[in-house]
C-alpha cells in the first residue's frame, strides 16, 4: 500500500485497516499452506512486517493485538489445540514486533531500498523477526520437536521475510525505473530460457543458471517486478520439489530446508543489484538536476533555459502559435547587497525566484539569465496573456517583504521587458527573442523602473493590436514584412502608447 493511498483514509479507517488486513491475511495463508508445495509460503508475518515498516502510524498496540487475534483465529480454524494456537499467536506477534522495531531505526532512503547497503540493513531485522517466530514455536511445551523442525522453521520464515518485505517496501514507489524499461521483454525471455535449460540439465547447481537472468531483470525492471518474478520462481521450484516425495520423511524435510535456503541466498544477488542500481540512478538524477538548475534559486540555468526555449520555439511552427519572452530584473539590487549584505541579497533572490516558480504554469520555462536577471518563456501565449502574466508577476514581486535583522522589512520591485511574436512572425532564434526582450527591459529601466515594456512583432498583413493595458505597461509594435525576418526597431513604425 502506497503512502498516498494510506493518507486518503480517515483516522477511524486508519485504525480499522490493520485489523481488517490481519484478520483476512492470517486465515487465508493458513489455508493455502495446507496445499502441497504451498507450505513454504506462510507470508502473513512478512507481509504485516512490511506494512508496518511503510506505515509507522500502525506501530501501536491495537495493531499488534490484531495480529495476535488473527493468528489465533487462523490456528483455531486449522483445528489446532488451544495451547498450540496461543503459542503460534505469541510467536507471530513477537516476531513482527521485533522486526518492526528494528526497521523503524533505518533511514527512509535505506528503508525504501535506495542505498547500496539497504539489503544488509533490511536483512538483519528480517532475520531477527523470523528467528524469534521460529524459536517461540519450537520451544512450545509438550511438543518435543526435533532440531530439524527448528531448521526448517528458521529457513522458511527467513525466506518469506527476505522475499516479501522488500516487495512490500518497493511497491508503488515512483521513479525507481523508467516506464519504458518495463516493456522490454528480453530479460523475461532470458529468465524463461534459462529456467528451461536448468530444468533440462537438472542437478544440484542447475538453479544457478537463472541468476544472470534475474540480475538482468533487476537492472531493467523495478524491484517490485523483479521480486514478483522471483516469488513465482520460488513457488515453481517448491512445486517441482514436492512432486513424488513423501513430505513426512525427515530426509525430504531436510532437502526442502536446503532448497529454501538456496532460494534465499540466490535472491540476495538480484536484490543487491536492484538496490545498487536504484542508488546509482538517484545520484545520476541529482547530478542531472544540478547541471540544469541554478543552485540558489532552483530555476533553470541559462544554457538549459536557452536549449529548452529553442525546443519549444521549434514546436510552434506546426501548428503556428505565438511566443512571448520575458526578461525580468530586480530594481536596485546592488543597493540591497551594499546596504544589507550578500546574505540578504541571496534571500531576496530566492524569494523572487520562488514567486516566479509559484506563478509558473504548464509549458512555462523560468530561468536565471545572470545575476539578478531572470527570464521567462511563454510558448503559445497571446499578447494579452503575456502582458497579463508580466503584470501579475510585477504585482506579486512588489508585494514581497523581507524582514531585516535590524528591524523593519525590505521591499523590492522589478522591471520587465517583453518580446511577443505573432504565430506567423516567430523569431529565428531564442537568442534573438532574448535580445529584444533585453532591449525592452532597458526601456523599462529608463522609463522609471517597476514597469513593463513590450515589443509586439506582427506580420504586415495583421491588424495592429488594440490592447487595454495598465498604466505600468507600455507597448511598442514592430511590423514584419515577411515572417522570421524582423526589421530593425529603428525601421519599425513607433506605435508606443501609455494607457
Amino acid at each position: 500500500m502506497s503512502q498516498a493511498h494510506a493518507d486518503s483514509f480517515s483516522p477511524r479507517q486508519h485504525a480499522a485497516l490493520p485489523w481488517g488486513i490481519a484478520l483476512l491475511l492470517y486465515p487465508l495463508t493458513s489455508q493455502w499452506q495446507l496445499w502441497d508445495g504451498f507450505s513454504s509460503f506462510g507470508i502473513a508475518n512478512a507481509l504485516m512486517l512490511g506494512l508496518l515498516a511503510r506505515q509507522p502510524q500502525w506501530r501501536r498496540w491495537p495493531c499488534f493485538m490484531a495480529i495476535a487475534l488473527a493468528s489465533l483465529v487462523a490456528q483455531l480454524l486449522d483445528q489446532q489445540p488451544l495451547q498450540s494456537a496461543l503459542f503460534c499467536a505469541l510467536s507471530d506477534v513477537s516476531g513482527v514486533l521485533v522486526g518492526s522495531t528494528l526497521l523503524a531505526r533505518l533511514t527512509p532512503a535505506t528503508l525504501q531500498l535506495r542505498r547500496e547497503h539497504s539489503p544488509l540493513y533490511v536483512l538483519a531485522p528480517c532475520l531477527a523477526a523470523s528467528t524469534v517466530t521460529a524459536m517461540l514455536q519450537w520451544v512450545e511445551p509438550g511438543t518435543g520437536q526435533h532440531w530439524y523442525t527448528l531448521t526448517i522453521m528458521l529457513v522458511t520464515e527467513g525466506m518469506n521475510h527476505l522475499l516479501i518485505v522488500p516487495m512490500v517496501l518497493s511497491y508503488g514507489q515512483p521513479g525507481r525505473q523508467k516506464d519504458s524499461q518495463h516493456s522490454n521483454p528480453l530479460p523475461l525471455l532470458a529468465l524463461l530460457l534459462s529456467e528451461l535449460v536448468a530444468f533440462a540439465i537438472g542437478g544440484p547447481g542447475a538453479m544457478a543458471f537463472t541468476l544472470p537472468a534475474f540480475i538482468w531483470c533487476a537492472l531493467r525492471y523495478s524491484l517490485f517486478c523483479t521480486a514478483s518474478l522471483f516469488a513465482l520462481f520460488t513457488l515453481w521450484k517448491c512445486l517441482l520439489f514436492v512432486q513424488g516425495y513423501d513430505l513426512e520423511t525427515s530426509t525430504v524435510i531436510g532437502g526442502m530446508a536446503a532448497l529454501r535456503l538456496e532460494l534465499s541466498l540466490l535472491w540476495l544477488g538480484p536484490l543487491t543489484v536492484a538496490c545498487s542500481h536504484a542508488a546509482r540512478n538517484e545520484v545520476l538524477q541529482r547530478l542531472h538536476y544540478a547541471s540544469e538548475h541554478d543552485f540558489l534559486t532552483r530555476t533553470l540555468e541559462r544554457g538549459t533555459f536557452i536549449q529548452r526555449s529553442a525546443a519549444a520555439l521549434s514546436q510552434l511552427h506546426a501548428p503556428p502559435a505565438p511566443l512571448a519572452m520575458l526578461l525580468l530584473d530586480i530594481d536596485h539590487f546592488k543597493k540591497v547587497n551594499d546596504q544589507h549584505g550578500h546574505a540578504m541579497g541571496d534571500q531576496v533572490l530566492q524569494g523572487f525566484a520562488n514567486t516566479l516558480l509559484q506563478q509558473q504554469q504548464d509549458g512555462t520555462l523560468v530561468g536565471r539569465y545572470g545575476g539578478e536577471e531572470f527570464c521567462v518563456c511563454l510558448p503559445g501565449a497571446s499578447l494579452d496573456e503575456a502582458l497579463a502574466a508580466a503584470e501579475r508577476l510585477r504585482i506579486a514581486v512588489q508585494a514581497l517583504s523581507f524582514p531585516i535583522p535590524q528591524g523593519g522589512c525590505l521591499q523590492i520591485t522589478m522591471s520587465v521587458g517583453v518580446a511577443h511574436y505573432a504565430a506567423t512572425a516567430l523569431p529565428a532564434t531564442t537568442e534573438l527573442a532574448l535580445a529584444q526582450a533585453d532591449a525592452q527591459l532597458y526601456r523599462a529601466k529608463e522609463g522609471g523602473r517597476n514597469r513593463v515594456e513590450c515589443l509586439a512583432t506582427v506580420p504586415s498583413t495583421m491588424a495592429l493590436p488594440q490592447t487595454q493595458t495598465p498604466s505600468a505597461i507600455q507597448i511598442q509594435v514592430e511590423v514584419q514584412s515577411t515572417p522570421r525576418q524582423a526589421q530593425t526597431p529603428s525601421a519599425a513604425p513607433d506605435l508606443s502608447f501609455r494607457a
Side-chain angles (χ1 to χ4, degrees), residues 216-480:
W216 194 6
C217 291
L219 292 173
R220 288 294 177 263
Y221 301 150
S222 67
L223 178 54
F224 177 78
C225 180
T226 306
S228 301
L229 290 175
F230 199 88
L232 295 175
F233 173 77
T234 302
L235 177 60
W236 163 252
K237 287 297 185 183
C238 292
L239 289 174
L240 285 181
F241 185 85
V242 301
Q243 295 302 316
Y245 289 102
D246 181 7
L247 296 183
E248 297 302 323
T249 62
S250 60
T251 302
V252 177
I253 290 179
M256 180 64 81
L259 174 65
R260 295 169 183 175
L261 179 60
E262 186 177 359
L263 288 168
S264 301
L265 296 176
L266 184 66
W267 169 233
L268 285 177
L271 176 61
T272 303
V273 171
C275 293
S276 300
H277 193 57
R280 168 187 171 274
N281 287 341
E282 184 176 338
V283 171
L284 291 178
Q285 290 174 2
R286 288 203 302 264
L287 290 174
H288 182 69
Y289 181 88
S291 68
E292 292 189 337
H293 291 78
D294 178 65
F295 174 77
L296 180 64
T297 63
R298 297 183 295 110
T299 58
L300 296 174
E301 59 91 24
R302 180 170 178 171
T304 303
F305 177 86
I306 293 176
Q307 180 183 11
R308 295 190 182 183
S309 297
L313 175 60
S314 65
Q315 296 176 357
L316 295 179
H317 295 283
L323 172 73
M325 187 70 71
L326 281 62
L327 206 58
L328 310 90
D329 184 86
I330 302 176
D331 295 331
H332 304 296
F333 181 74
K334 187 175 183 302
K335 292 183 179 179
V336 175
N337 283 331
D338 293 342
Q339 297 178 5
H340 305 284
H342 288 276
M344 176 59 69
D346 290 345
Q347 293 183 28
V348 170
L349 288 173
Q350 290 174 331
F352 180 84
N354 288 337
T355 301
L356 301 185
L357 294 174
Q358 289 170 2
Q359 299 285 337
Q360 186 179 14
Q361 299 178 357
D362 292 341
T364 302
L365 301 173
V366 179
R368 187 176 183 183
Y369 197 63
E372 69 274 18
E373 290 186 342
F374 291 79
C375 40
V376 177
C377 180
L378 302 173
S382 66
L383 179 59
D384 287 334
E385 292 171 340
L387 294 177
E391 182 66 6
R392 185 170 61 250
L393 290 173
R394 187 189 69 81
I395 295 175
V397 168
Q398 187 174 263
L400 291 176
S401 180
F402 302 92
I404 302 175
Q406 296 81 5
C409 292
L410 173 66
Q411 292 186 306
I412 60 172
T413 60
M414 74 169 180
S415 302
V416 186
V418 180
H420 185 270
Y421 303 89
T424 54
L426 294 174
T429 63
T430 302
E431 288 80 359
L432 175 60
L434 286 170
Q436 292 182 331
D438 189 41
Q440 297 307 303
L441 176 61
Y442 179 78
R443 288 170 56 91
K445 289 186 172 295
E446 288 293 310
R449 304 178 189 271
N450 191 25
R451 57 190 293 106
V452 177
E453 290 276 349
C454 177
L455 172 67
T457 304
V458 298
S460 57
T461 58
M462 180 177 176
L464 299 180
Q466 300 295 326
T467 305
Q468 297 296 324
T469 59
S471 59
I473 298 180
Q474 187 170 1
I475 301 179
Q476 181 183 14
V477 180
E478 181 179 90
V479 180
Q480 275 191 349

Side-chain angles (χ1 to χ4, degrees), residues 25 56 59-60 63 65 96-97 107 133-134 139 183 190 194-195 252 287 292 298 341 353 358 376 378 389 416 439:
L25 185 61
R59 288 199 299 268
R60 293 180 173 86
C63 181
M65 285 182 58
V96 175
L97 176 61
T107 63
T133 300
V139 299
S183 61
S194 63
E195 176 55 23
V252 177
L287 290 174
E292 292 189 337
R298 297 183 295 110
Q358 289 170 2
V376 177
L378 302 173
V416 186

